[in-house]
Amino acid sequence: MTTSDCEDKGEKQENNNTPTTLKNLKPEEIVLVTCNSCTRDYHIWSLIENPNDKTQPFRLDETVMQHEPSNDLVSTFLVESGRTENHSCSVLRANEEVHVVISTGSGLQLGLSFWKSVLKPLLEALGLHEDNGDYRRMVTQDQNSVSNFARAELATESATPATVVLISGDGGVADLLNGLGYGQEEQEENEDERQSRRQVTVGLVPLGTANALFHSLHKYHQQAEGKEEETPSTLVLALRTLFKGQPKGLPTFRAEFSPGATLSGPPTSGEDKDREQEKPKPVHHLFGAIVASYGFHASLVWESDTPSYREYGDKRFGMAAEELLKLSHAYDAVVQVKLRGQDEWKQLQEAGQPFTYVLATIVSNLEKAFTISPESKPLDGRLRLVHFGDVDGEKTMDIMKAAYQNGVHVGMEEVGYEDIEEVKVTIAEKDARWRRVCVDGTIVEIEEGGWMKVKRELKGERIQVLVT
């Protein structure tokens, strides 16, 4: 940086910022500290959230100090500006390609707002400017945008690592995985294919409905923060992790389907007549990092995916659940598992006995407070199965409520809970409404008599994820 550059920055700072003290700062809102190399002023960045303000749900506050803050504040939040080859922050490594992916349809559709008011200014404070080519930005146009981006930009045999800042929900991670894995029809990659994989690191900015992956990865961090009023919000924790986290391999599973399986769009209404005529797209397999399910959970995800439900955010699941519980449908399927460390298939129920719920997962939480698999630990790579048979709507609701109590449902008499290598669900339903399975939010319709097999991937992680 030249002397004139420092002088210019000094003048701008003097005009626009007023030095202050820490007394008005809330520690749980601080996301980042930067230092002006010319003036040695410290800039403390805080995220203020107001979900009830439709025009400005996020505000980024900047506090300028003309002396060094406390050692704890500096050591916890300081990030050195500017790109260097061995920078501790992934987005600031000079030898990495950086992408910002913004999903416009996730959750309450706040991705662009968050980008403009929070993330873009923070990146600029660290010396990263889109106009200078420091990173590339992609805004989704449709449901295929993220997978197409991954296929075109990331699924290459490049020696240059890539960091993706993903402003999205859980579906964005699934789309990245499947874009990267496009065309891999074989059950397992060979060693050469694994070695040639490009290193891709993902920084999660969770703006989806449930954000299961983020909450599961940071479960113990969130629990350890202490008093609720002093606990950082999900987005504050996400930004801290983006700038100070370290990459770790993300465990995944592979869901394979019978030959007649097709991708299923959201439920149609009178306004969707054109989409209803689209030819179903066959699907052979999907990769996932969260959940694969059949029964009540899959039906709930699919039937709540309408514009009228989505405007209510995570409340849409409860609303759709009420309608499904009234029907209390028993799902006609045969479920077989290979328990952990075993090669033989075991059938979970006697022939002819239906199920209400079959869910395989490698995470602990499907929502921040909904602990579906209490034994699952962040990044442990264990595939666990939660299931129960034909019960009425009242009992189903009791089981779901117990999951909100730190996962005590797995101790209930009606609930099975196993550590598995693989699960196969063969579906005998005649009505297509009850033949849908869910893989990380993607819905697949299985033909009558068809099946889904889910197996954890044993060798090599497809992507890395930033964690604290």
Side-chain angles (χ1 to χ4, degrees):
M1 182 179 290
T2 66
T3 304
S4 60
D5 287 337
C6 288
E7 291 173 352
D8 290 342
K9 286 182 175 289
E11 289 178 3
K12 290 177 182 177
Q13 181 181 320
E14 185 177 351
N15 291 335
N16 296 327
N17 296 303
T18 303
T20 186
T21 65
L22 293 175
K23 64 180 181 180
N24 296 323
L25 288 176
K26 295 181 179 180
E28 67 272 17
E29 295 176 342
I30 298 173
V31 298
L32 180 68
V33 173
T34 58
C35 180
N36 187 307
S37 60
C38 301
T39 64
R40 301 307 299 172
D41 288 342
Y42 285 83
H43 299 245
I44 304 170
W45 303 87
S46 302
L47 176 63
I48 315 300
E49 299 172 65
N50 186 359
N52 296 322
D53 188 340
K54 302 300 182 182
T55 59
Q56 192 181 20
F58 314 109
R59 189 180 82 244
L60 187 64
D61 278 4
E62 179 185 9
T63 301
V64 181
M65 300 191 67
Q66 293 182 336
H67 58 83
E68 184 172 334
S70 68
N71 288 334
D72 287 345
L73 195 63
V74 171
S75 62
T76 302
F77 299 114
L78 180 65
V79 176
E80 296 291 340
S81 302
R83 303 191 76 181
T84 59
E85 186 171 336
N86 296 312
H87 205 291
S88 60
C89 176
S90 291
V91 297
L92 289 170
R93 289 187 193 131
N95 61 336
E96 294 212 11
E97 192 176 280
V98 179
H99 299 267
V100 176
V101 174
I102 306 167
S103 171
T104 56
S106 296
L108 295 175
Q109 302 179 356
L110 297 175
L112 277 174
S113 175
F114 187 84
W115 155 253
K116 292 176 183 177
S117 58
V118 179
L119 187 56
K120 184 174 183 283
L122 285 175
L123 292 178
E124 290 175 348
L126 291 169
L128 296 180
H129 298 269
E130 183 178 8
D131 292 343
N132 293 344
D134 296 322
Y135 61 89
R136 285 181 274 176
R137 178 168 55 99
M138 192 278 284
V139 180
T140 62
Q141 304 299 318
D142 55 43
Q143 62 184 5
N144 299 316
S145 293
V146 177
S147 57
N148 289 341
F149 156 79
R151 195 178 309 163
E153 300 290 341
L154 304 177
T156 59
E157 296 182 9
S158 172
T160 303
T163 294
V164 179
V165 182
L166 185 60
I167 306 176
S168 173
D170 293 319
V173 180
D175 290 341
L176 272 181
L177 282 171
N178 287 290
L180 286 166
Y182 180 78
Q184 293 177 0
E185 299 298 328
E186 297 300 322
Q187 182 67 27
E188 296 286 349
E189 292 178 296
N190 60 44
E191 188 62 30
D192 288 341
E193 288 173 326
R194 281 192 292 273
Q195 292 296 328
S196 65
R197 246 188 234 159
R198 187 179 190 185
Q199 181 181 305
V200 177
T201 300
V202 178
L204 300 173
V205 180
L207 279 172
T209 301
N211 305 309
L213 181 58
F214 184 88
H215 291 310
S216 296
L217 290 174
H218 297 84
K219 179 177 182 177
Y220 299 114
H221 190 91
Q222 290 173 321
Q223 289 177 342
E225 291 292 342
K227 297 180 181 179
E228 184 174 348
E229 62 270 20
E230 298 176 357
T231 301
S233 72
T234 296
L235 288 173
V236 168
L237 184 55
L239 290 171
R240 292 177 180 179
T241 305
L242 176 63
F243 297 121
K244 299 286 283 187
Q246 295 300 313
K248 299 291 184 182
L250 180 66
T252 55
F253 60 81
R254 177 187 172 106
E256 188 175 337
F257 312 105
S258 50
T262 57
L263 292 173
S264 179
T268 56
S269 65
E271 300 175 356
D272 301 319
K273 292 181 179 179
D274 292 338
R275 181 170 59 80
E276 196 169 9
Q277 301 302 315
E278 293 179 3
K279 185 178 180 179
K281 183 179 179 181
V283 58
H284 176 270
H285 70 275
L286 291 170
F287 299 106
I290 303 167
V291 63
S293 69
Y294 174 65
F296 180 78
H297 176 267
S299 294
L300 179 59
V301 173
W302 182 67
E303 301 207 2
S304 66
D305 191 20
T306 64
S308 58
Y309 274 138
R310 275 195 167 274
E311 66 179 83
Y312 293 99
D314 58 1
K315 295 182 177 63
R316 68 185 174 102
F317 295 125
M319 298 166 67
E322 289 183 11
E323 298 303 315
L324 284 170
L325 290 171
K326 291 176 184 177
L327 297 173
S328 195
H329 182 76
Y331 296 79
D332 189 358
V334 174
V335 180
Q336 300 166 284
V337 298
K338 289 182 181 178
L339 297 175
R340 182 173 175 82
Q342 299 183 15
D343 294 325
E344 295 182 357
W345 287 103
K346 169 190 173 184
Q347 188 166 315
L348 287 185
Q349 90 284 39
E350 295 181 8
Q353 292 185 341
F355 279 86
T356 295
Y357 200 92
V358 182
L359 184 146
T361 184
I362 49 178
V363 301
S364 60
N365 287 52
L366 297 186
E367 301 172 20
K368 185 175 183 179
F370 189 88
T371 306
I372 191 62
S373 178
E375 295 300 316
S376 295
K377 305 297 189 293
L379 306 174
D380 69 2
R382 307 281 281 268
L383 185 64
R384 289 177 169 85
L385 188 73
V386 180
H387 58 92
F388 51 92
D390 181 14
V391 300
D392 61 25
E394 184 177 356
K395 177 55 69 174
T396 299
M397 181 56 72
D398 289 343
I399 295 170
M400 294 298 100
K401 287 180 179 178
Y404 281 103
Q405 300 169 21
N406 294 318
V408 298
H409 64 294
V410 299
M412 298 174 70
E413 181 181 357
E414 298 83 0
V415 179
Y417 185 43
E418 283 91 18
D419 191 349
I420 65 172
E421 300 286 352
E422 189 172 1
V423 59
K424 180 179 181 181
V425 182
T426 304
I427 302 170
E429 291 281 353
K430 295 185 180 300
D431 187 343
R433 180 182 184 184
W434 311 118
R435 295 201 308 266
R436 290 180 169 87
V437 299
C438 172
V439 178
D440 285 8
T442 297
I443 303 299
V444 176
E445 183 180 321
I446 306 296
E447 76 277 20
E448 184 179 353
W451 47 263
M452 171 179 71
K453 289 196 294 187
V454 181
K455 183 177 182 180
R456 67 190 184 102
E457 295 202 285
L458 301 178
K459 295 182 179 179
E461 292 84 4
R462 294 181 177 275
I463 62 174
Q464 297 184 114
V465 64
L466 292 174
V467 295
T468 51

Short mmCIF file of all heavy atoms in Angstrom, two decimals, residues 241-266:
data_model
loop_
_atom_site.label_atom_id
_atom_site.label_comp_id
_atom_site.label_asym_id
_atom_site.label_seq_id
_atom_site.Cartn_x
_atom_site.Cartn_y
_atom_site.Cartn_z
N THR A 241 -17.49 -18.43 11.65
CA THR A 241 -16.93 -19.66 11.11
C THR A 241 -16.34 -19.44 9.72
O THR A 241 -15.29 -20.00 9.38
CB THR A 241 -18.01 -20.75 11.05
OG1 THR A 241 -18.58 -20.93 12.35
CG2 THR A 241 -17.43 -22.07 10.57
N LEU A 242 -17.01 -18.62 8.92
CA LEU A 242 -16.51 -18.33 7.58
C LEU A 242 -15.12 -17.70 7.62
O LEU A 242 -14.24 -18.05 6.82
CB LEU A 242 -17.49 -17.39 6.86
CG LEU A 242 -17.08 -16.90 5.47
CD1 LEU A 242 -16.96 -18.08 4.50
CD2 LEU A 242 -18.07 -15.87 4.95
N PHE A 243 -14.90 -16.80 8.58
CA PHE A 243 -13.64 -16.06 8.61
C PHE A 243 -12.58 -16.68 9.53
O PHE A 243 -11.39 -16.43 9.34
CB PHE A 243 -13.90 -14.61 9.02
CG PHE A 243 -14.75 -13.85 8.05
CD1 PHE A 243 -15.95 -13.29 8.45
CD2 PHE A 243 -14.38 -13.74 6.72
CE1 PHE A 243 -16.75 -12.60 7.53
CE2 PHE A 243 -15.17 -13.06 5.80
CZ PHE A 243 -16.36 -12.49 6.22
N LYS A 244 -13.01 -17.47 10.51
CA LYS A 244 -12.05 -18.04 11.46
C LYS A 244 -12.08 -19.57 11.54
O LYS A 244 -11.27 -20.16 12.26
CB LYS A 244 -12.33 -17.48 12.87
CG LYS A 244 -12.21 -15.97 12.99
CD LYS A 244 -10.77 -15.50 12.97
CE LYS A 244 -10.09 -15.73 14.30
NZ LYS A 244 -8.73 -15.12 14.36
N GLY A 245 -13.00 -20.20 10.79
CA GLY A 245 -13.11 -21.65 10.85
C GLY A 245 -12.03 -22.37 10.07
O GLY A 245 -11.28 -21.77 9.29
N GLN A 246 -11.97 -23.69 10.27
CA GLN A 246 -11.01 -24.53 9.58
C GLN A 246 -11.74 -25.60 8.76
O GLN A 246 -12.80 -26.08 9.18
CB GLN A 246 -10.07 -25.21 10.59
CG GLN A 246 -9.19 -24.24 11.35
CD GLN A 246 -8.29 -23.43 10.43
OE1 GLN A 246 -7.65 -23.99 9.55
NE2 GLN A 246 -8.24 -22.13 10.64
N PRO A 247 -11.20 -25.98 7.60
CA PRO A 247 -11.89 -26.96 6.76
C PRO A 247 -11.74 -28.39 7.29
O PRO A 247 -10.66 -28.80 7.70
CB PRO A 247 -11.20 -26.81 5.40
CG PRO A 247 -9.84 -26.27 5.73
CD PRO A 247 -9.99 -25.43 6.96
N LYS A 248 -12.85 -29.11 7.27
CA LYS A 248 -12.86 -30.52 7.64
C LYS A 248 -13.67 -31.28 6.58
O LYS A 248 -14.63 -30.76 6.02
CB LYS A 248 -13.52 -30.73 9.02
CG LYS A 248 -12.80 -30.02 10.17
CD LYS A 248 -11.45 -30.65 10.46
CE LYS A 248 -10.80 -29.98 11.68
NZ LYS A 248 -9.47 -30.54 11.97
N GLY A 249 -13.30 -32.54 6.34
CA GLY A 249 -14.01 -33.35 5.37
C GLY A 249 -15.46 -33.59 5.77
O GLY A 249 -15.75 -33.89 6.94
N LEU A 250 -16.37 -33.44 4.83
CA LEU A 250 -17.80 -33.62 5.10
C LEU A 250 -18.22 -35.04 4.73
O LEU A 250 -18.19 -35.42 3.55
CB LEU A 250 -18.62 -32.61 4.29
CG LEU A 250 -20.14 -32.67 4.48
CD1 LEU A 250 -20.52 -32.26 5.90
CD2 LEU A 250 -20.85 -31.77 3.47
N PRO A 251 -18.66 -35.85 5.70
CA PRO A 251 -19.14 -37.20 5.38
C PRO A 251 -20.39 -37.15 4.50
O PRO A 251 -21.23 -36.26 4.64
CB PRO A 251 -19.47 -37.79 6.76
CG PRO A 251 -18.71 -36.95 7.74
CD PRO A 251 -18.67 -35.58 7.14
N THR A 252 -20.51 -38.13 3.61
CA THR A 252 -21.65 -38.17 2.70
C THR A 252 -22.16 -39.60 2.57
O THR A 252 -21.52 -40.55 2.98
CB THR A 252 -21.27 -37.64 1.30
OG1 THR A 252 -20.14 -38.38 0.82
CG2 THR A 252 -20.93 -36.16 1.34
N PHE A 253 -23.36 -39.72 1.97
CA PHE A 253 -23.91 -41.02 1.63
C PHE A 253 -24.36 -40.98 0.18
O PHE A 253 -24.47 -39.92 -0.43
CB PHE A 253 -25.08 -41.40 2.55
CG PHE A 253 -26.25 -40.44 2.50
CD1 PHE A 253 -27.20 -40.51 1.48
CD2 PHE A 253 -26.41 -39.47 3.48
CE1 PHE A 253 -28.27 -39.63 1.43
CE2 PHE A 253 -27.49 -38.58 3.44
CZ PHE A 253 -28.41 -38.66 2.41
N ARG A 254 -24.62 -42.15 -0.35
CA ARG A 254 -25.12 -42.28 -1.71
C ARG A 254 -26.46 -42.99 -1.67
O ARG A 254 -26.58 -44.08 -1.09
CB ARG A 254 -24.13 -43.07 -2.57
CG ARG A 254 -24.59 -43.32 -4.01
CD ARG A 254 -23.62 -44.27 -4.71
NE ARG A 254 -24.11 -44.69 -6.03
CZ ARG A 254 -23.63 -44.25 -7.18
NH1 ARG A 254 -22.63 -43.39 -7.19
NH2 ARG A 254 -24.12 -44.68 -8.32
N ALA A 255 -27.48 -42.37 -2.25
CA ALA A 255 -28.81 -42.97 -2.37
C ALA A 255 -28.99 -43.42 -3.81
O ALA A 255 -28.88 -42.62 -4.74
CB ALA A 255 -29.89 -41.98 -1.98
N GLU A 256 -29.26 -44.70 -4.00
CA GLU A 256 -29.45 -45.27 -5.33
C GLU A 256 -30.89 -45.72 -5.49
O GLU A 256 -31.52 -46.17 -4.52
CB GLU A 256 -28.50 -46.46 -5.52
CG GLU A 256 -28.46 -47.02 -6.93
CD GLU A 256 -27.42 -48.12 -7.09
OE1 GLU A 256 -26.47 -48.14 -6.28
OE2 GLU A 256 -27.57 -48.94 -8.00
N PHE A 257 -31.44 -45.57 -6.70
CA PHE A 257 -32.85 -45.83 -6.93
C PHE A 257 -33.07 -46.89 -8.00
O PHE A 257 -32.22 -47.09 -8.89
CB PHE A 257 -33.56 -44.54 -7.33
CG PHE A 257 -33.24 -43.38 -6.43
CD1 PHE A 257 -32.39 -42.36 -6.85
CD2 PHE A 257 -33.76 -43.31 -5.15
CE1 PHE A 257 -32.07 -41.30 -6.03
CE2 PHE A 257 -33.44 -42.26 -4.30
CZ PHE A 257 -32.60 -41.25 -4.74
N SER A 258 -34.23 -47.52 -7.95
CA SER A 258 -34.62 -48.51 -8.96
C SER A 258 -34.82 -47.82 -10.31
O SER A 258 -34.99 -46.59 -10.38
CB SER A 258 -35.89 -49.23 -8.52
OG SER A 258 -36.89 -48.30 -8.13
N PRO A 259 -34.81 -48.58 -11.42
CA PRO A 259 -34.78 -47.99 -12.76
C PRO A 259 -35.93 -47.05 -13.11
O PRO A 259 -35.77 -46.17 -13.96
CB PRO A 259 -34.79 -49.22 -13.68
CG PRO A 259 -34.16 -50.29 -12.87
CD PRO A 259 -34.62 -50.04 -11.47
N GLY A 260 -37.09 -47.17 -12.46
CA GLY A 260 -38.22 -46.31 -12.82
C GLY A 260 -38.33 -45.02 -12.02
O GLY A 260 -39.30 -44.26 -12.18
N ALA A 261 -37.35 -44.71 -11.18
CA ALA A 261 -37.41 -43.52 -10.32
C ALA A 261 -37.26 -42.24 -11.12
O ALA A 261 -36.49 -42.17 -12.09
CB ALA A 261 -36.32 -43.60 -9.25
N THR A 262 -37.98 -41.19 -10.71
CA THR A 262 -37.90 -39.88 -11.37
C THR A 262 -37.87 -38.77 -10.33
O THR A 262 -38.41 -38.92 -9.22
CB THR A 262 -39.12 -39.64 -12.30
OG1 THR A 262 -40.33 -39.78 -11.53
CG2 THR A 262 -39.13 -40.63 -13.45
N LEU A 263 -37.24 -37.66 -10.69
CA LEU A 263 -37.26 -36.48 -9.82
C LEU A 263 -38.66 -35.92 -9.77
O LEU A 263 -39.38 -35.87 -10.78
CB LEU A 263 -36.29 -35.43 -10.34
CG LEU A 263 -34.81 -35.77 -10.26
CD1 LEU A 263 -33.98 -34.70 -10.96
CD2 LEU A 263 -34.36 -35.90 -8.81
N SER A 264 -39.07 -35.48 -8.59
CA SER A 264 -40.43 -34.99 -8.40
C SER A 264 -40.39 -33.52 -7.99
O SER A 264 -39.73 -33.17 -7.00
CB SER A 264 -41.15 -35.81 -7.33
OG SER A 264 -42.45 -35.34 -7.11
N GLY A 265 -41.08 -32.66 -8.72
CA GLY A 265 -41.16 -31.26 -8.37
C GLY A 265 -42.13 -31.04 -7.23
O GLY A 265 -42.74 -31.99 -6.71
N PRO A 266 -42.33 -29.79 -6.80
CA PRO A 266 -43.28 -29.49 -5.73
C PRO A 266 -44.69 -29.88 -6.13
O PRO A 266 -44.98 -30.05 -7.32
CB PRO A 266 -43.15 -27.97 -5.57
CG PRO A 266 -41.84 -27.61 -6.19
CD PRO A 266 -41.63 -28.60 -7.29
#
